[in-house]
């Protein structure tokens, strides 16, 4: 396994957060708020919420030194059943769909310059997205991520610098009367938060690799404190930059917001913007795949996935079966994928588990007092995150019920159909089937079981 220092940790957080979201979500956030002012307020509020959630995870990560994100925290706070439902939902749906969204975004921006004035064919976009997923290389991860981190920052800072030039030239008419036409719908604001928070997704990435962090008591909270506020400031200024050259109506009509921005301010060098976006989204896809593999590996180690998922490559010392599985499922999600539908589906379930994880932090304050807490946040912070999580889960359902929310809930609960016979009762006949299959896969993939840890 790799060893992650402070700089690598910051690069992982920032590189995963500054991905596709800031280039896709501005349109959906504006649709949900209806005006420039509320739109910017939502972006700022999402940054504050992501920071509060990350601080809660900093306490959890330094208290329970296990990789796998929310999985070990739910295991310690509520027991194996809820932890299994989380791993089942995240490994099969949430992580692969997130990976698919980012890959589709990368492909969409990569192909748009070749189809000026129209939308790229879906077959082209989806083939490019599949290629993006297949290009992941775990062994070179930190070298690639470091390079892409600086490219991502450069792309964001370039957009911000063009905004400053526009302000100097007096092009601020779109920012006047920013609250005119604002939307006040309970559910619409919730959907706006969904899409804004999607752009911030990645704030919890270091918790998926806690076991690989150098000096986690110092580096985990420090990477969070540096990385997330940096991203928040960049996001707010990028959105202001968009509005400095586009009216709200023009932004809503744009098929690719950053490309339209580039056409307005950089022509004839507008191809630079989609190139930056492709690098940015590829960096986010790289980080997403890296952490998703760790969750699958830990779930396999705990017996909540087939054992082969916990095995380690003898050549690269990485959980290659888990990474391959995540990539294959992500490619399946690309085939019928619509980006906005996937974001809503992803956010609904994901924020339910974020809320439960912060609730586990509150519960363990009373039930696990013996655990050491090198980082301890005021209890009001996890309480606020739980309340906001409840709002984000319930508001869109109450305001505008959709079948996708029911399907999502049924899928999560449906994990019990596998948990009861195969994990709780451990039927013997399943071992007779899996033992030879595991042996052949082990020889084919050149992987071995991980060392047993207490």
């Amino acid at each position: 396994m790799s060893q992650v220092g402070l700089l690598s940790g910051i690069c992982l957080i920032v590189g995963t957060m500054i991905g596709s979201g800031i280039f896709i979500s501005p349109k959906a956030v504006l649709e949900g708020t209806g005006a420039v002012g509320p739109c910017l307020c939502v972006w700022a509020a999402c940054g504050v919420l992501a920071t509060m959630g990350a601080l809660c995870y900093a306490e959890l990560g330094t208290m329970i030194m296990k990789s796998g994100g929310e999985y070990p925290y739910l295991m310690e706070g509520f027991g194996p059943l809820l932890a299994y439902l989380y791993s089942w939902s995240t490994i099969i749906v949430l992580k692969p769909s997130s990976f698919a969204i980012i890959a589709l975004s990368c492909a969409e921006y990569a192909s748009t310059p070749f189809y000026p004035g129209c939308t790229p064919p879906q077959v082209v976009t989806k083939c490019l997205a599949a290629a993006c997923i297949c290009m992941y290389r775990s062994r070179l991860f930190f070298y690639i991520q470091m390079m892409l981190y600086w490219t991502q920052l450069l792309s964001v800072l370039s957009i911000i610098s063009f905004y400053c030039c526009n302000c100097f030239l007096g092009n601020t008419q779109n920012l006047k009367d920013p609250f005119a036409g604002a939307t006040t719908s309970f559910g619409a604001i919730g959907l706006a938060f969904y899409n804004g928070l999607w752009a911030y997704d990645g704030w919890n990435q270091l918790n998926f690799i806690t076991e690989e962090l150098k000096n986690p008591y110092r580096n985990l909270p420090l990477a969070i404190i540096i990385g997330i506020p940096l991203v928040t400031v960049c996001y707010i200024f990028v959105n202001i930059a968009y509005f400095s050259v586009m009216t709200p109506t023009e932004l809503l009509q744009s098929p690719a917001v950053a490309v339209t921005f580039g056409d307005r301010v950089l022509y004839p060098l507008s191809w630079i913007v989609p190139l930056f976006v492709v690098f940015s989204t590829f960096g986010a896809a790289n980080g997403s795949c890296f952490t998703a593999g760790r969750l699958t590996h830990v779930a396999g180690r705990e017996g909540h996935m087939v054992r082969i998922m916990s095995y380690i490559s003898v050549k690269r010392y990485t959980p290659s079966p888990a990474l391959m599985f995540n990539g294959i499922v992500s490619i399946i999600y690309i085939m019928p994928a619509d980006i906005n539908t996937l974001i809503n589906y992803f956010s609904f379930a994901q924020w339910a588990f974020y809320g439960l994880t912060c609730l586990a932090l509150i519960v363990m304050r009373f039930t696990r007092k013996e655990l050491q807490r090198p980082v301890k946040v005021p209890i009001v912070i996890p309480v606020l995150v739980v309340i906001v999580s409840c709002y984000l889960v319930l508001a869109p359902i109450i305001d505008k019920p959709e079948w996708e929310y029911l399907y999502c809930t049924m899928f999560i609960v449906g994990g019990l159909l596998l948990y009861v016979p195969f994990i709780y009762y451990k039927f013997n006949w399943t071992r007779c089937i899996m033992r030879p299959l595991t042996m052949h896969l082990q020889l084919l993939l050149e992987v071995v079981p991980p060392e047993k840890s207490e």
Side-chain angles (χ1 to χ4, degrees):
M1 293 286 193
S2 309
Q3 284 296 305
V4 183
L6 176 60
L7 183 58
S8 299
I10 295 171
C11 290
L12 178 60
I13 291 176
V14 175
T16 308
M17 289 176 72
I18 302 179
S20 62
I22 189 58
F23 308 112
I24 293 176
S25 296
K27 183 176 176 179
V29 174
L30 182 59
E31 286 177 347
T33 54
V36 175
C39 178
L40 296 177
C41 290
V42 166
W43 281 103
C46 288
V48 173
L49 181 60
T51 304
M52 291 195 300
L55 290 173
C56 295
Y57 276 52
E59 177 176 333
L60 288 164
T62 53
M63 180 174 65
I64 301 169
M65 297 293 298
K66 294 182 180 179
S67 296
E70 292 83 357
Y71 179 80
Y73 314 143
L74 293 172
M75 178 80 79
E76 294 289 337
F78 299 116
L81 177 58
L82 192 56
Y84 166 78
L85 291 178
Y86 166 77
S87 64
W88 155 258
S89 306
T90 304
I91 293 169
I92 303 300
V93 176
L94 301 183
K95 278 292 183 182
S97 67
S98 172
F99 197 9
I101 292 166
I102 299 169
L104 283 167
S105 306
C106 180
E108 189 174 292
Y109 274 93
S111 56
T112 295
F114 297 99
Y115 297 89
C118 62
T119 303
Q122 283 197 357
V123 64
V124 172
T125 303
K126 291 179 180 181
C127 286
L128 284 174
C132 174
I133 290 172
C134 295
M135 285 174 65
Y136 174 79
R137 291 291 182 272
S138 181
R139 193 173 186 179
L140 301 175
F141 170 77
F142 287 110
Y143 300 105
I144 296 171
Q145 199 69 13
M146 193 78 72
M147 177 187 69
L148 293 173
Y149 163 75
W150 293 111
T151 306
Q152 288 168 302
L153 275 185
L154 180 61
S155 64
V156 169
L157 292 175
S158 298
I159 293 174
I160 294 172
S161 65
F162 291 127
Y163 155 69
C164 294
C165 292
N166 274 323
C167 287
F168 180 75
L169 295 173
N171 297 327
T172 59
Q173 59 271 20
N174 295 333
L175 300 174
K176 295 177 181 178
D177 197 11
F179 289 89
T183 301
T184 56
S185 168
F186 185 74
I189 296 295
L191 287 174
F193 268 95
Y194 270 5
N195 287 277
L197 289 165
W198 160 248
Y200 284 94
D201 194 66
W203 51 265
N204 62 334
Q205 293 301 291
L206 281 185
N207 292 79
F208 284 89
I209 57 169
T210 305
E211 295 171 22
E212 299 171 62
L213 272 177
K214 297 176 184 175
N215 191 7
Y217 299 122
R218 169 184 176 270
N219 291 339
L220 179 60
L222 200 56
I224 288 168
I225 292 169
I226 294 172
I228 299 177
L230 173 64
V231 173
T232 302
V233 172
C234 288
Y235 278 4
I236 293 171
F237 277 102
V238 166
N239 276 276
I240 295 174
Y242 289 153
F243 288 120
S244 71
V245 298
M246 286 180 278
T247 65
T249 302
E250 289 172 336
L251 191 146
L252 291 173
Q253 293 174 348
S254 171
V257 176
V259 172
T260 303
F261 179 89
D263 290 338
R264 296 286 179 88
V265 300
L266 279 175
Y267 186 82
L269 299 177
S270 56
W271 55 269
I272 293 175
V273 172
L275 181 64
F276 276 155
V277 176
V278 169
F279 282 131
S280 181
T281 49
F282 184 73
N286 201 46
S288 178
C289 185
F290 181 79
T291 55
R294 270 54 184 177
L295 170 60
T296 309
H297 164 74
V298 172
R301 190 175 66 190
E302 297 293 330
H304 285 174
M305 288 286 288
V306 291
R307 289 289 180 185
I308 189 68
M309 294 299 175
S310 67
Y311 285 20
I312 304 295
S313 169
V314 295
K315 293 181 177 179
R316 298 180 176 86
Y317 306 107
T318 58
S320 54
L323 293 168
M324 291 178 188
F325 178 79
N326 184 62
I328 291 169
V329 177
S330 299
I331 290 173
I332 293 172
Y333 276 104
I334 283 172
M335 297 176 185
D338 170 73
I339 289 180
N340 286 329
T341 302
L342 275 177
I343 289 174
N344 292 340
Y345 187 71
F346 170 83
S347 299
F348 164 74
Q350 189 65 75
W351 274 95
F353 286 118
Y354 287 159
L356 286 170
T357 303
C358 290
L359 182 61
L361 173 60
I362 298 170
V363 169
M364 284 190 284
R365 285 282 182 92
F366 301 98
T367 61
R368 302 296 302 275
K369 294 181 179 180
E370 76 282 2
L371 293 175
Q372 293 185 353
R373 293 171 169 82
V375 176
K376 190 172 183 180
V377 299
I379 198 167
V380 67
I381 292 179
V383 169
L384 285 173
V385 175
V386 170
I387 292 171
V388 174
S389 300
C390 291
Y391 166 74
L392 291 173
V393 171
L394 296 176
I397 300 175
I398 295 171
D399 185 72
K400 189 179 180 182
E402 298 285 351
W403 284 107
E404 64 188 25
Y405 301 124
L406 179 61
Y407 296 150
C408 181
T409 304
M410 289 175 62
F411 179 85
I412 294 172
V413 177
L416 294 173
L417 297 176
L418 295 176
Y419 179 82
V420 173
F422 300 127
I423 297 172
Y424 187 78
Y425 286 109
K426 298 181 180 178
F427 286 172
N428 289 329
W429 62 268
T430 58
R431 298 182 182 181
C432 298
I433 297 172
M434 288 306 302
R435 190 176 291 113
L437 182 60
T438 300
M439 182 184 68
H440 289 299
L441 286 173
Q442 187 176 352
L443 293 171
L444 176 65
L445 301 176
E446 297 183 329
V447 293
V448 296
E451 294 181 358
K452 292 184 178 180
S453 58
E454 298 299 328

